[in-house]
Amino acid sequence: MENKQVNKIALGTFIGLTMALCATVRSIPTLAATGWAQISYSIFAVLFFALPIALIAGELGTAMPEEGGPQLWIKTALSSKLGFVAAWLLWVQMFPGMVMVASTIGPLLGNSFGNPTLGNNHWFVLGCILVFYWIITLLNLKYDMAKVGGNIGVWLGVYIPIVIMAVMGIAALIKNGIMPGGTLGHFSMSKLIPTKDGLSSLKYMAGISFIFTGIEMSSVFIPRLHNPSKTFTKGIFVSLIGLVVLNLVNAMLVANVVPMGKMELSNITQPILIYCQILGWPTMIANIFSFMVFIGVLLQLSAWVTGPSKTIIQVARDGYLPAKLGFHKQNQYGVSKNVVLTQTIAISLFALLYGFMKDVNGVFLTLTNATTILYAIVYLLIAVAVLKLRKDQPDLDRPYRIGKKGNGLAWTVSIALILGIAIIVFATLFTTSLSQSLLVVIISVIFTIIPFIISKYKNDQWLIDIQKDMQQK
């Protein structure tokens, strides 16, 4: 008889897996740029964004354990059309999102060869994004890149850099203490909360919240937990505390050494170079650090080329997209050539922002904000979905449930998420420049409207054509 306990996940393993979903070094400069207020922003992001998302996903994920995730939850609770909208948004958010990630390639490559100024050259950043992302795309179409370097990418791009940054940052703190001219500066209670003079830091709120996007995927581990109702909640709390501490420690150390107003959001090597100067260590450390993270980012980008496209392939096969687009077709590696090429062209168009806008920091922030808001729309639908299911299907089997009895806690959690998203959107649009805000609004509105337009013209012939095409294969 099969021993079902073999595949069970212990609490410590679950915490590690959950933290791995959101672990990143890319957001550390964004967090650091807010100085001491990063503590308040992180607490807000956890209570009104990450924690509600994780708890809601926990309930919906165990009630509907089939593959599909947010798309399935929203489709079941609300409608097929909104399920399609969710799947679409989870795909298109990677267009600005991947440009944001790929924009780190330029600074990393420049630092690898000892030329940090290249990281602030918008043409160089643009060139690196286009060249490397297209190379990665073509490799994914020709080879089974899903088996190449996934875990290595996480280690080179996340875990090792975080440790190196922390060690060097602590050493710099021990040597020089709190640096008066740094972004952090000496502590005072007033610096924890943005005041009238410090409201400009609100523009980073979406970027800070973005640290936790993807945490809803932790729900897939619930069926393998011992005593899921208790272990999941406890594990999520510990994971979020761990993520906050991990990010805050590094962000504070970075904010301590980077001069006020000089933070380079897409250049994770900037603090490493400063640490080397303070400690008198050879800058070769920064070169090696940059090259290591550079390889890590490329491997991570490769994994993301095909990952999000899986959902849109399934959506196409369900008849939500015309057969002539060819999104339903896959090669021997499970990759849709048409989907991947479409998203790479879209990513290339977004990358052109680095050609039109000289402010590298401004473009990075705009892309981060656009990605976060597109993600947030899906999270809003998830918040409504959990409440709708509580009303329409009260007897649905829920291995994990928000609150033991009644719907009060579920309403509280959902309202907290909706309120948090509203504040994030407000802060994003009203504290960035007019041009950046308009760009974020235009991107968000256009991408949200498109699936509704597609749905309006959807007809049964799409599915018939797709099924015929697939039968001929």
Side-chain angles (χ1 to χ4, degrees), residues 14-78:
F14 172 66
I15 292 169
L17 290 170
T18 302
M19 289 181 67
L21 290 171
C22 302
T24 178
V25 294
R26 292 183 305 278
S27 299
I28 288 175
T30 303
L31 188 60
T34 62
W36 286 104
Q38 64 186 274
I39 297 174
S40 301
Y41 287 137
S42 296
I43 293 172
F44 171 85
V46 167
L47 295 180
F48 290 91
F49 193 74
L51 183 59
I53 290 166
L55 295 179
I56 292 171
E59 177 168 321
L60 294 175
T62 53
M64 290 169 275
E66 306 91 339
E67 287 189 23
Q71 176 207 354
L72 175 65
W73 309 339
I74 294 165
K75 175 182 176 182
T76 304
L78 302 176

Coordinates of all heavy atoms in Angstrom, one line a residue, residues 14-78:
F14 N 7.9 24.2 3.6 CA 6.9 25.1 3.0 C 7.3 26.5 3.1 O 7.1 27.3 2.2 CB 5.5 24.8 3.8 CG 4.5 25.8 3.3 CD1 4.0 25.8 2.1 CD2 4.0 26.8 4.2 CE1 3.0 26.7 1.7 CE2 3.0 27.7 3.9 CZ 2.5 27.6 2.6
I15 N 7.8 26.9 4.3 CA 8.3 28.3 4.4 C 9.4 28.6 3.4 O 9.4 29.7 2.7 CB 8.8 28.5 5.8 CG1 7.7 28.5 6.8 CG2 9.5 29.9 6.0 CD1 8.1 28.4 8.3
G16 N 10.3 27.7 3.2 CA 11.4 27.9 2.2 C 10.9 28.0 0.8 O 11.3 28.9 0.0
L17 N 9.9 27.2 0.5 CA 9.3 27.2 -0.9 C 8.6 28.5 -1.1 O 8.6 29.0 -2.2 CB 8.4 26.0 -1.1 CG 9.1 24.6 -1.1 CD1 8.0 23.5 -1.0 CD2 9.9 24.4 -2.4
T18 N 7.8 28.9 -0.1 CA 7.0 30.1 -0.3 C 7.9 31.4 -0.4 O 7.7 32.2 -1.3 CB 6.1 30.3 0.9 OG1 5.2 29.2 1.1 CG2 5.2 31.6 0.8
M19 N 9.0 31.4 0.4 CA 9.9 32.6 0.3 C 10.6 32.6 -1.1 O 10.9 33.6 -1.7 CB 10.9 32.5 1.4 CG 10.4 32.8 2.8 SD 11.6 32.8 4.1 CE 12.6 34.2 3.6
A20 N 10.9 31.4 -1.6 CA 11.5 31.3 -2.9 C 10.7 31.9 -4.1 O 11.2 32.3 -5.1 CB 11.9 29.8 -3.3
L21 N 9.3 31.8 -3.9 CA 8.4 32.4 -4.9 C 8.6 33.9 -5.1 O 8.4 34.4 -6.2 CB 7.0 32.1 -4.5 CG 6.5 30.6 -4.6 CD1 5.1 30.5 -4.0 CD2 6.5 30.2 -6.1
C22 N 9.0 34.6 -4.0 CA 9.1 36.0 -4.0 C 10.5 36.6 -3.8 O 10.7 37.8 -3.9 CB 8.2 36.6 -3.0 SG 6.5 36.2 -3.1
A23 N 11.5 35.7 -3.6 CA 12.8 36.1 -3.4 C 13.4 36.8 -4.6 O 13.3 36.3 -5.7 CB 13.7 34.9 -3.0
T24 N 14.0 38.0 -4.4 CA 14.6 38.7 -5.6 C 15.5 39.8 -5.0 O 15.4 40.2 -3.9 CB 13.5 39.4 -6.4 OG1 14.1 40.2 -7.4 CG2 12.6 40.4 -5.5
V25 N 16.5 40.2 -5.8 CA 17.4 41.3 -5.5 C 17.0 42.5 -6.2 O 17.4 43.6 -5.9 CB 18.9 40.9 -5.7 CG1 19.3 39.8 -4.8 CG2 19.1 40.6 -7.2
R26 N 16.2 42.4 -7.3 CA 15.8 43.5 -8.2 C 15.1 44.6 -7.4 O 15.2 45.8 -7.8 CB 15.0 43.0 -9.3 CG 15.7 42.1 -10.3 CD 14.9 41.8 -11.5 NE 13.6 41.1 -11.1 CZ 13.5 39.9 -10.7 NH1 14.5 39.1 -10.8 NH2 12.3 39.4 -10.4
S27 N 14.3 44.3 -6.4 CA 13.5 45.3 -5.8 C 14.2 46.0 -4.6 O 13.7 46.9 -4.0 CB 12.2 44.6 -5.3 OG 11.5 44.1 -6.3
I28 N 15.4 45.5 -4.3 CA 16.1 46.1 -3.1 C 16.4 47.6 -3.3 O 16.2 48.4 -2.4 CB 17.4 45.3 -2.8 CG1 17.0 43.9 -2.2 CG2 18.3 46.0 -1.9 CD1 18.2 43.0 -2.0
P29 N 16.9 48.0 -4.5 CA 17.1 49.5 -4.6 C 15.8 50.3 -4.5 O 15.8 51.4 -4.0 CB 17.7 49.6 -6.0 CG 18.4 48.3 -6.3 CD 17.4 47.3 -5.6
T30 N 14.7 49.8 -5.0 CA 13.4 50.5 -4.9 C 13.0 50.6 -3.5 O 12.6 51.7 -3.1 CB 12.3 49.7 -5.7 OG1 12.8 49.5 -7.1 CG2 11.0 50.4 -5.7
L31 N 13.2 49.6 -2.7 CA 12.8 49.6 -1.3 C 13.8 50.5 -0.6 O 13.4 51.4 0.3 CB 12.9 48.2 -0.7 CG 12.5 48.0 0.7 CD1 11.0 48.3 0.9 CD2 12.7 46.5 1.1
A32 N 15.1 50.5 -0.9 CA 16.1 51.3 -0.2 C 15.9 52.8 -0.5 O 16.2 53.6 0.3 CB 17.5 50.9 -0.7
A33 N 15.3 53.1 -1.7 CA 15.1 54.5 -2.1 C 14.2 55.3 -1.1 O 14.2 56.5 -1.1 CB 14.6 54.6 -3.5
T34 N 13.4 54.5 -0.3 CA 12.4 55.2 0.6 C 13.0 55.5 1.9 O 12.3 56.0 2.8 CB 11.1 54.3 0.7 OG1 11.5 53.1 1.3 CG2 10.5 54.1 -0.6
G35 N 14.2 55.1 2.2 CA 14.8 55.4 3.5 C 14.2 54.7 4.6 O 13.8 53.5 4.4
W36 N 14.0 55.3 5.7 CA 13.4 54.7 6.9 C 12.0 54.3 6.7 O 11.4 53.4 7.3 CB 13.6 55.6 8.2 CG 15.0 55.6 8.7 CD1 15.9 56.6 8.6 CD2 15.6 54.6 9.5 NE1 17.0 56.3 9.2 CE2 16.9 55.0 9.8 CE3 15.2 53.3 9.9 CZ2 17.8 54.3 10.5 CZ3 16.1 52.6 10.7 CH2 17.4 53.1 11.0
A37 N 11.3 55.0 5.8 CA 9.9 54.7 5.5 C 9.7 53.3 4.9 O 8.5 52.9 4.9 CB 9.3 55.8 4.5
Q38 N 10.8 52.7 4.5 CA 10.6 51.3 3.9 C 10.0 50.4 5.0 O 9.4 49.4 4.6 CB 12.0 50.8 3.5 CG 13.0 50.6 4.5 CD 14.4 50.3 4.0 OE1 14.7 49.1 3.7 NE2 15.2 51.3 3.7
I39 N 10.2 50.6 6.2 CA 9.6 49.8 7.3 C 8.1 49.9 7.2 O 7.4 48.8 7.2 CB 10.1 50.2 8.7 CG1 11.7 50.0 8.8 CG2 9.4 49.4 9.8 CD1 12.3 50.5 10.0
S40 N 7.6 51.1 7.2 CA 6.1 51.3 7.1 C 5.6 50.7 5.8 O 4.5 50.1 5.8 CB 5.8 52.8 7.2 OG 6.3 53.3 8.4
Y41 N 6.3 51.0 4.7 CA 5.8 50.5 3.4 C 5.7 48.9 3.4 O 4.8 48.4 2.8 CB 6.7 51.0 2.3 CG 6.5 52.4 1.9 CD1 7.6 53.3 1.7 CD2 5.2 53.0 1.9 CE1 7.5 54.6 1.4 CE2 5.1 54.4 1.6 CZ 6.2 55.2 1.3 OH 6.0 56.5 1.0
S42 N 6.7 48.3 4.0 CA 6.8 46.9 4.0 C 5.7 46.3 4.8 O 5.0 45.3 4.4 CB 8.1 46.4 4.5 OG 9.2 46.8 3.7
I43 N 5.4 46.9 6.0 CA 4.3 46.4 6.8 C 3.0 46.6 6.1 O 2.1 45.7 6.1 CB 4.3 47.2 8.1 CG1 5.5 46.8 9.0 CG2 3.0 46.9 8.9 CD1 5.7 47.7 10.2
F44 N 2.8 47.7 5.4 CA 1.6 48.0 4.7 C 1.4 46.9 3.6 O 0.3 46.3 3.4 CB 1.6 49.4 4.0 CG 0.5 49.6 3.1 CD1 -0.8 50.0 3.5 CD2 0.7 49.4 1.7 CE1 -1.8 50.2 2.6 CE2 -0.4 49.6 0.8 CZ -1.6 50.0 1.2
A45 N 2.5 46.7 2.8 CA 2.4 45.7 1.7 C 2.1 44.3 2.1 O 1.4 43.6 1.4 CB 3.8 45.7 1.0
V46 N 2.5 43.9 3.3 CA 2.2 42.6 3.9 C 0.7 42.6 4.3 O 0.0 41.6 3.9 CB 3.1 42.3 5.1 CG1 2.6 41.1 5.8 CG2 4.5 42.0 4.5
L47 N 0.3 43.5 5.1 CA -1.0 43.5 5.7 C -2.2 43.7 4.7 O -3.2 43.1 4.8 CB -1.1 44.5 6.9 CG -0.3 44.3 8.1 CD1 -0.5 45.3 9.1 CD2 -0.5 42.9 8.7
F48 N -1.9 44.6 3.7 CA -3.0 44.9 2.8 C -2.7 44.4 1.4 O -3.5 44.8 0.5 CB -3.1 46.5 2.8 CG -3.7 47.0 4.0 CD1 -2.8 47.5 5.0 CD2 -5.1 47.1 4.2 CE1 -3.4 48.0 6.2 CE2 -5.6 47.7 5.4 CZ -4.7 48.1 6.4
F49 N -1.8 43.6 1.2 CA -1.5 43.0 -0.1 C -1.1 41.6 -0.1 O -1.9 40.7 -0.5 CB -0.4 43.9 -0.8 CG -0.3 43.6 -2.3 CD1 -1.2 44.1 -3.2 CD2 0.8 42.9 -2.8 CE1 -1.1 43.9 -4.6 CE2 1.0 42.7 -4.2 CZ 0.0 43.2 -5.0
A50 N 0.1 41.3 0.4 CA 0.6 39.9 0.4 C -0.2 38.9 1.2 O -0.6 37.8 0.7 CB 2.1 39.9 0.8
L51 N -0.5 39.3 2.5 CA -1.2 38.3 3.3 C -2.6 38.0 2.9 O -3.0 36.9 2.8 CB -1.2 38.9 4.8 CG -1.8 38.0 5.8 CD1 -1.1 36.6 5.9 CD2 -1.8 38.6 7.2
P52 N -3.4 39.1 2.5 CA -4.7 38.7 2.0 C -4.7 37.9 0.7 O -5.5 37.0 0.6 CB -5.3 40.1 1.7 CG -4.6 41.1 2.6 CD -3.2 40.5 2.7
I53 N -3.7 38.2 -0.2 CA -3.6 37.4 -1.4 C -3.4 35.9 -1.1 O -4.0 35.0 -1.6 CB -2.5 38.0 -2.3 CG1 -2.9 39.3 -2.9 CG2 -2.2 37.0 -3.5 CD1 -1.8 40.1 -3.5
A54 N -2.4 35.7 -0.2 CA -2.0 34.3 0.1 C -3.2 33.6 0.8 O -3.4 32.4 0.5 CB -0.8 34.4 1.1
L55 N -3.9 34.2 1.7 CA -5.0 33.6 2.4 C -6.1 33.3 1.4 O -6.7 32.2 1.5 CB -5.5 34.4 3.6 CG -4.5 34.7 4.7 CD1 -5.1 35.6 5.8 CD2 -4.0 33.4 5.3
I56 N -6.5 34.2 0.6 CA -7.5 34.0 -0.4 C -7.2 32.9 -1.4 O -8.0 32.0 -1.7 CB -7.9 35.3 -1.2 CG1 -8.5 36.3 -0.2 CG2 -8.8 35.0 -2.4 CD1 -8.7 37.7 -0.8
A57 N -5.9 32.9 -1.8 CA -5.4 31.9 -2.7 C -5.4 30.5 -2.1 O -5.7 29.5 -2.7 CB -4.0 32.2 -3.2
G58 N -5.2 30.5 -0.8 CA -5.2 29.2 0.0 C -6.5 28.6 0.0 O -6.7 27.4 -0.2
E59 N -7.6 29.4 0.2 CA -8.9 28.8 0.2 C -9.4 28.4 -1.2 O -9.9 27.3 -1.5 CB -9.9 29.9 0.7 CG -11.4 29.4 0.6 CD -12.3 30.2 1.4 OE1 -12.0 30.7 2.5 OE2 -13.5 30.4 0.9
L60 N -9.2 29.3 -2.2 CA -9.6 29.0 -3.6 C -8.8 27.9 -4.2 O -9.3 27.0 -4.9 CB -9.5 30.2 -4.5 CG -10.4 31.4 -4.1 CD1 -10.1 32.6 -5.0 CD2 -11.9 31.0 -4.3
G61 N -7.5 27.8 -3.9 CA -6.6 26.8 -4.4 C -6.9 25.4 -4.0 O -6.8 24.4 -4.7
T62 N -7.4 25.3 -2.7 CA -7.7 24.0 -2.2 C -9.1 23.6 -2.5 O -9.4 22.4 -2.7 CB -7.6 23.9 -0.6 OG1 -8.3 25.0 -0.1 CG2 -6.1 24.1 -0.2
A63 N -10.0 24.6 -2.7 CA -11.4 24.2 -3.2 C -11.4 23.8 -4.6 O -12.2 23.0 -5.0 CB -12.3 25.5 -3.0
M64 N -10.4 24.3 -5.4 CA -10.3 24.0 -6.8 C -8.9 23.6 -7.1 O -8.1 24.4 -7.7 CB -10.8 25.1 -7.7 CG -12.3 25.4 -7.6 SD -12.7 27.0 -8.4 CE -12.4 28.1 -7.1
P65 N -8.5 22.4 -6.8 CA -7.0 22.0 -6.9 C -6.6 21.7 -8.3 O -5.4 21.5 -8.6 CB -7.0 20.7 -6.0 CG -8.3 20.2 -6.1 CD -9.3 21.3 -6.1
E66 N -7.6 21.7 -9.3 CA -7.2 21.4 -10.7 C -6.3 22.5 -11.2 O -6.2 23.6 -10.7 CB -8.4 21.4 -11.6 CG -9.5 20.4 -11.1 CD -10.5 21.1 -10.2 OE1 -10.2 22.1 -9.6 OE2 -11.6 20.5 -10.0
E67 N -5.5 22.2 -12.2 CA -4.6 23.2 -12.8 C -5.5 24.3 -13.4 O -6.5 24.1 -14.0 CB -3.8 22.6 -14.0 CG -2.7 21.6 -13.4 CD -1.8 21.2 -14.6 OE1 -1.7 21.9 -15.6 OE2 -1.1 20.2 -14.4
G68 N -5.0 25.5 -13.3 CA -5.7 26.7 -13.8 C -5.4 27.9 -12.9 O -5.4 29.0 -13.5
G69 N -5.3 27.7 -11.6 CA -5.0 28.9 -10.8 C -6.0 30.0 -10.8 O -7.2 29.7 -10.9
P70 N -5.6 31.2 -10.8 CA -6.5 32.4 -10.7 C -7.5 32.4 -11.9 O -8.7 32.7 -11.6 CB -5.5 33.6 -10.9 CG -4.3 33.1 -10.3 CD -4.2 31.7 -10.6
Q71 N -7.1 31.9 -13.0 CA -8.1 31.9 -14.2 C -9.2 31.0 -13.8 O -10.4 31.3 -14.0 CB -7.3 31.4 -15.4 CG -8.3 31.2 -16.6 CD -7.8 30.1 -17.6 OE1 -6.7 29.6 -17.5 NE2 -8.6 29.8 -18.6
L72 N -8.9 29.8 -13.3 CA -10.0 28.8 -12.9 C -10.9 29.3 -11.8 O -12.1 29.2 -11.8 CB -9.4 27.5 -12.5 CG -10.3 26.4 -12.0 CD1 -11.3 26.0 -13.1 CD2 -9.5 25.2 -11.5
W73 N -10.2 29.9 -10.8 CA -11.0 30.5 -9.6 C -12.0 31.5 -10.1 O -13.2 31.5 -9.7 CB -10.0 31.1 -8.6 CG -8.9 30.2 -8.2 CD1 -8.9 28.8 -8.3 CD2 -7.7 30.6 -7.6 NE1 -7.6 28.3 -7.8 CE2 -6.9 29.4 -7.4 CE3 -7.1 31.8 -7.2 CZ2 -5.6 29.4 -6.8 CZ3 -5.9 31.9 -6.7 CH2 -5.1 30.7 -6.5
I74 N -11.5 32.4 -10.9 CA -12.4 33.6 -11.3 C -13.4 33.1 -12.3 O -14.6 33.5 -12.2 CB -11.5 34.7 -12.0 CG1 -10.6 35.3 -10.9 CG2 -12.4 35.7 -12.6 CD1 -9.5 36.1 -11.4
K75 N -13.1 32.1 -13.2 CA -14.0 31.6 -14.1 C -15.1 30.8 -13.4 O -16.3 31.0 -13.7 CB -13.3 30.6 -15.0 CG -14.2 29.8 -16.0 CD -13.4 28.8 -16.8 CE -14.3 28.0 -17.7 NZ -13.5 27.0 -18.5
T76 N -14.8 30.1 -12.4 CA -15.8 29.3 -11.6 C -16.7 30.2 -10.8 O -17.9 30.0 -10.7 CB -15.1 28.3 -10.7 OG1 -14.2 27.5 -11.4 CG2 -16.1 27.4 -9.9
A77 N -16.1 31.2 -10.1 CA -16.9 32.1 -9.2 C -17.7 33.2 -10.0 O -18.8 33.5 -9.6 CB -16.0 32.7 -8.2
L78 N -17.1 33.7 -11.0 CA -17.7 34.9 -11.6 C -18.2 34.6 -13.0 O -19.4 34.6 -13.3 CB -16.6 36.0 -11.7 CG -16.1 36.4 -10.3 CD1 -15.0 37.5 -10.4 CD2 -17.2 36.9 -9.4

